[in-house]
Amino acid sequence: MSQLNRVPNDGNHSAHDVVEVLQQDGAVIIEAFLSADTLEGLRSDLFPLLAQRSAGRDGFSGERTRRLGALFAHTRHCAEIALHRLYLPVAIEFLTRPHEVWIGDQRRTLAPDVRIGMTQAIQIGPGQGAQVLHRDDNAFLWRHPTHGREGRVQIMVALSDFTAENGGTLVIPGSHKWDDERKPLASEAVSTTMSAGSALIFLGSAFHAGGENRTTNEYRTGLTMALDASSVRQEENMYLALSQGVVASYPEEIQRLLGWSAGSNAMGWIEIDGQMADPNVLLHKQSGEVVSVTGKSRTQNATA
């Protein structure tokens, strides 16, 4: 495959269309993913902060690459990416596939929720060499092939134009189907070319890398975010990266995506007055309600 397949964000295509391409190729470009206002907002919020960042200190992070994390603390527009109709429903399809388990003498179905595993703005500078090809679900020690049970669905949103010359993300289409013995080759990778405001969505099991920036004066800037199954640890420590006040300022759907939720598989609960409780209650203490991981509610006393 000489180039990645594309799905336009034109109102005529759905999350199902994106899922179909991802199942086949492991990666897909969404054209015009962002509105013009959201793109401009992200640039205004993040570009000045990136300009103050030092480049990386090793080959993997990039000696001529600037990076900025904790993006929900730096721009409100991240919420629009996380909740996008062609991203979140796609991630839900791949990440929340159910497991059949025995609990005592009962056969029950458990499924993970979705959480934001990491956020980062990445600005590849002129002269930066290509990153080594890798899988992002390596952090989970995931085994391959995944047989459709993915741990991560990631997005790279273009905040500037992506070209083969300025470091457009490299992807090996179909590599999400490979086993762990097959070595990725640079000759198998294709470069992501897309205009600012478009986005690359790829599975955590797909081999990819930052591309080589062969220009003399052009920075390639993208925003990446991972939606992960709640059964794995978040790669970026959101509980230290984002203050409780910052998280509380977002709608509850974003709060839960950031990890302030126990989920249906009880990952992330906290103890409140002897009960395993949903941590989201800490963001709404004034309501006095504690939601347990069993789904029952009760009144929290004033000192809990």
Side-chain angles (χ1 to χ4, degrees):
M1 181 183 291
S2 60
Q3 59 181 349
L4 296 168
N5 283 310
R6 298 169 183 267
V7 172
N9 180 24
D10 57 5
N12 296 320
H13 293 79
S14 67
H16 176 72
D17 299 314
V18 179
V19 168
E20 283 193 328
V21 180
L22 284 173
Q23 287 174 331
Q24 179 61 36
D25 299 339
V28 62
I29 293 173
I30 310 298
E31 295 179 325
F33 180 83
L34 295 179
S35 69
D37 288 345
T38 299
L39 175 60
E40 182 55 37
L42 286 165
R43 286 170 160 172
S44 297
D45 291 342
L46 300 179
F47 277 33
L49 298 175
L50 281 165
Q52 300 171 19
R53 290 282 161 151
S54 300
R57 298 181 181 179
D58 55 56
F60 189 82
S61 59
E63 293 92 342
R64 299 186 181 183
T65 298
R66 302 166 179 161
R67 295 174 182 267
L68 175 70
L71 295 188
F72 278 85
H74 299 306
T75 177
R76 306 292 295 184
H77 296 291
C78 273
E80 299 166 55
I81 297 172
L83 301 178
H84 197 285
R85 71 178 190 90
L86 295 182
Y87 184 36
L88 180 57
V90 171
I92 290 171
E93 171 65 25
F94 281 99
L95 302 177
T96 65
R97 295 182 179 178
H99 297 249
E100 296 293 327
V101 299
W102 284 105
I103 299 180
D105 59 0
Q106 294 183 340
R107 189 68 167 162
R108 294 182 57 183
T109 299
L110 293 180
D113 293 331
V114 175
R115 290 183 182 161
I116 296 166
M118 58 83 69
T119 62
Q120 200 169 68
I122 304 175
Q123 193 168 67
I124 297 178
Q128 174 64 59
Q131 192 181 38
V132 294
L133 291 160
H134 61 283
R135 285 166 156 155
D136 274 358
D137 65 5
N138 286 341
F140 313 144
L141 301 181
W142 221 242
R143 302 303 300 170
H144 306 94
T146 65
H147 302 293
R149 193 178 295 283
E150 297 288 335
R152 167 169 291 184
V153 178
Q154 190 147 342
I155 194 166
M156 173 65 77
V157 181
L159 301 187
S160 65
D161 292 344
F162 277 39
T163 69
E165 291 72 34
N166 72 7
T169 305
L170 301 171
V171 182
I172 301 181
S175 59
H176 64 303
K177 300 178 181 179
W178 296 359
D179 63 24
D180 289 311
E181 304 308 312
R182 182 166 174 177
K183 176 183 176 181
L185 302 176
S187 59
E188 298 172 291
V190 299
S191 182
T192 301
T193 59
M194 57 184 175
S195 59
S198 294
L200 168 72
I201 298 178
F202 57 100
L203 301 179
S205 54
F207 277 103
H208 68 284
E212 177 185 3
N213 190 332
R214 300 190 293 271
T215 70
T216 58
N217 59 0
E218 186 179 344
Y219 282 85
R220 188 232 75 179
T221 308
L223 184 159
T224 190
M225 179 187 298
L227 293 180
D228 295 348
S230 64
S231 51
V232 299
R233 181 179 177 180
Q234 290 161 284
E235 181 181 342
E236 184 179 13
N237 192 322
M238 296 297 178
Y239 315 103
L240 297 180
L242 304 175
S243 71
Q244 185 169 328
V246 166
V247 177
S249 71
Y250 281 97
E252 184 173 334
E253 189 171 10
I254 291 294
Q255 295 169 3
R256 292 184 177 278
L257 283 172
L258 287 169
W260 289 71
S261 170
S264 59
N265 60 330
M267 289 287 284
W269 62 269
I270 58 169
E271 187 275 328
I272 296 180
D273 194 22
Q275 275 203 31
M276 295 163 58
D278 189 315
N280 194 260
V281 72
L282 297 180
L283 303 176
H284 308 279
K285 282 195 242 181
Q286 65 274 18
S287 71
E289 184 181 60
V290 174
V291 181
S292 76
V293 296
T294 63
K296 297 178 181 178
S297 300
R298 66 177 179 82
T299 300
Q300 177 185 357
N301 64 46
T303 59

